Amino acid sequence: MLATYFDTPFDPGRRLQHQIQERLIEAILDGVWPLHEPLPATRVFSSEIKVSRNTVAIVYERLVEDGYLKSVSRRGYFINERHIREQLNIRVDDHAKDILPTAEHPFNPQAFLTYSYAAQENISKPADWQSYPYPFIYGQLAPDKTSVARWRDCVRLAGTAQHAPTWIGDLVDQDDPMLVNQIIRRMLPQRGFRAEPDEILVTVGAQNALFLVAQLFCRPGVRSDMEEPGYVDTRNIFQSFGAELKYHPVDSNGMRVGDELKGARLVYVTPGHQSPTNVTMSMERRLRLLAHAETHDFIVLEDDYEHELNFIGAQKPSLRSFDRTGRVIHVASLSKALFPGLRLGFIAADRRIIRELRALRRLMYRHPSALDQRAMAIFLSEGHYDSHIRRQRKVLSQKWKKIFRLIETHLPTCQATVTTGGSGVWIRLPESIRAAELQSRAARQGLLIEAGDDRYFSPNSPRNRIRLGFGAISEEKMEPGIKLLGQLLADSR
């Protein structure tokens, strides 16, 4: 009966009412309770599952509102037979399949594919990374309870009668005007440029923005240039559209810029904090890259990841801020520094490009969640985003200083790439060490690091690079984690 659905303990991390409601619905749809008998009284049922009577009463009333139960005066709560029949009115006729002809060939999906995305080499991170004692994992952040509470308030406010009309309907190919306005007023000035509303497109994160741009401009026979080492997913995206790739080495000033760029149609760079080395492109190279773009007639795809996280010197203006001809497509994330799982970003570009991207996005998913857009607009307008970044900068700058000290102390045979900020460190190991092997050994001892292998380089790349992300690990865990890494390196010699 019902008791079997409540044998499993409740999850303390979820609301109790929701869990009881889910289990009751499952039991009702499974037909375990007779239709002619009332469900257990709230007093009896609450005693059986050891929760308050008021909690059970609230759940029963919700199930009445949703049509699963009906309340009969002086008799109690009964299953709503009519509603259940509507829920279960689809029946599969097992004999209907017998009239279909026998397949002449076994089905092989691979024979139908035009490109195998699953065969690509990607960055692999354990889904349970939070359970590791020393998660030097890049791209994740420690939770900010203040921002979580404020985001929850903004979502609640977005759902009120004042704001609901802005997201209830389908926006078709448009974006929330309040969010676009906040991007223009609050995000772009920090990057050194302005834009009009028709020069902004909201995306499902920066990753989605890169895919949209690549789909618009990459194809077989078109050369797309990028940094080496470089962002793995961008390389995979370019290759999936058949683009011809050319790589340009990265040093302490970012991607080297020269006449080798001649012949490119699209050049991808991460000038704020280069992925994966985290170095910042110098002003001289930024200007030289734009000069080459005009001279050699190519588009610059600027991924401005971690723009806000410079801890030494002033923030450098984005490439877009110096763009005179509309050749720079600026991609940024709204959520990566806040909640990586939220997935909101934007593209700022020439309005002619945005018009094409908007039409392409409409074919893919029309627009990002309008509710999330309005909540983010409120979050920005109330200054919560700026406050969050200030807190993040304070925490990450302390970790940034500490990790370089720890590397110098405990990893004397390694060379860390000097940066002006960011949330990760690119490290060169001794020549005899293979990063992939070290990564596997470290993981077995609860230490997560990221091997900088072929995925970041063109073929015949160095195998002795690793990346340590420090955004998610607590500060007190950093020293014992680096010490353990030093011990593993010593054991490898």
Side-chain angles (χ1 to χ4, degrees), residues 173-295:
D173 62 356
Q174 296 301 302
D175 294 311
D176 185 332
M178 181 179 178
L179 178 56
V180 172
N181 181 55
Q182 288 300 313
I183 291 171
I184 292 171
R185 292 178 54 197
R186 291 183 177 271
M187 306 297 287
L188 301 191
Q190 298 174 14
R191 290 163 163 78
F193 68 95
R194 298 180 180 180
E196 296 298 322
D198 61 351
E199 296 174 313
I200 301 293
L201 184 77
V202 180
T203 62
V204 185
Q207 182 90 355
N208 171 238
L210 298 176
F211 194 93
L212 286 168
V213 172
Q215 188 162 6
L216 201 62
F217 294 107
C218 292
R219 64 181 183 276
V222 169
R223 204 183 93 194
S224 298
D225 291 17
M226 61 182 296
E227 305 153 324
E228 183 178 47
Y231 183 41
V232 178
D233 284 347
T234 297
R235 184 197 65 191
N236 285 340
I237 291 171
F238 286 173
Q239 287 181 333
S240 72
F241 290 111
E244 174 191 341
L245 296 186
K246 183 172 182 177
Y247 300 94
H248 301 271
V250 171
D251 59 24
S252 60
N253 290 310
M255 188 184 80
R256 294 178 189 171
V257 177
D259 289 334
E260 296 83 4
L261 290 166
K262 183 177 181 180
R265 299 300 288 167
L266 181 69
V267 176
Y268 171 79
V269 289
T270 50
H273 290 99
Q274 198 272 335
S275 176
T277 67
N278 259 58
V279 298
T280 300
M281 181 179 275
S282 66
M283 187 62 67
E284 185 270 336
R285 287 203 182 161
R286 292 173 189 238
L287 295 176
R288 192 191 303 174
L289 176 60
L290 292 178
H292 277 281
E294 293 189 23
T295 300

Side-chain angles (χ1 to χ4, degrees), residues 370-406:
L371 175 60
D372 288 348
Q373 289 193 56
R374 178 48 58 109
M376 178 60 79
I378 296 170
F379 195 85
L380 286 166
S381 69
E382 295 189 352
H384 300 324
Y385 188 91
D386 292 335
S387 297
H388 174 83
I389 294 299
R390 284 194 295 270
R391 290 192 299 275
Q392 284 288 83
R393 283 175 56 84
K394 181 179 179 181
V395 171
L396 290 175
S397 64
Q398 292 173 349
K399 291 183 178 181
W400 175 79
K401 294 174 185 175
K402 185 169 185 173
I403 199 166
F404 277 98
R405 291 197 304 266
L406 292 172

Side-chain angles (χ1 to χ4, degrees), residues 111-168:
F112 292 83
L113 294 178
T114 57
Y115 185 84
S116 177
Y117 291 90
Q120 292 180 330
E121 287 200 35
N122 292 298
I123 301 171
S124 178
K125 301 177 182 179
D128 62 341
W129 64 266
Q130 292 171 310
S131 66
Y132 285 71
Y134 310 111
F136 286 97
I137 186 169
Y138 191 72
Q140 299 287 358
L141 295 172
D144 183 324
K145 294 181 180 179
T146 300
S147 291
V148 169
R150 290 176 176 174
W151 176 259
R152 184 170 58 245
D153 291 340
C154 291
V155 172
R156 186 181 301 115
L157 183 57
T160 61
Q162 175 187 357
H163 294 282
T166 66
W167 56 263
I168 288 177

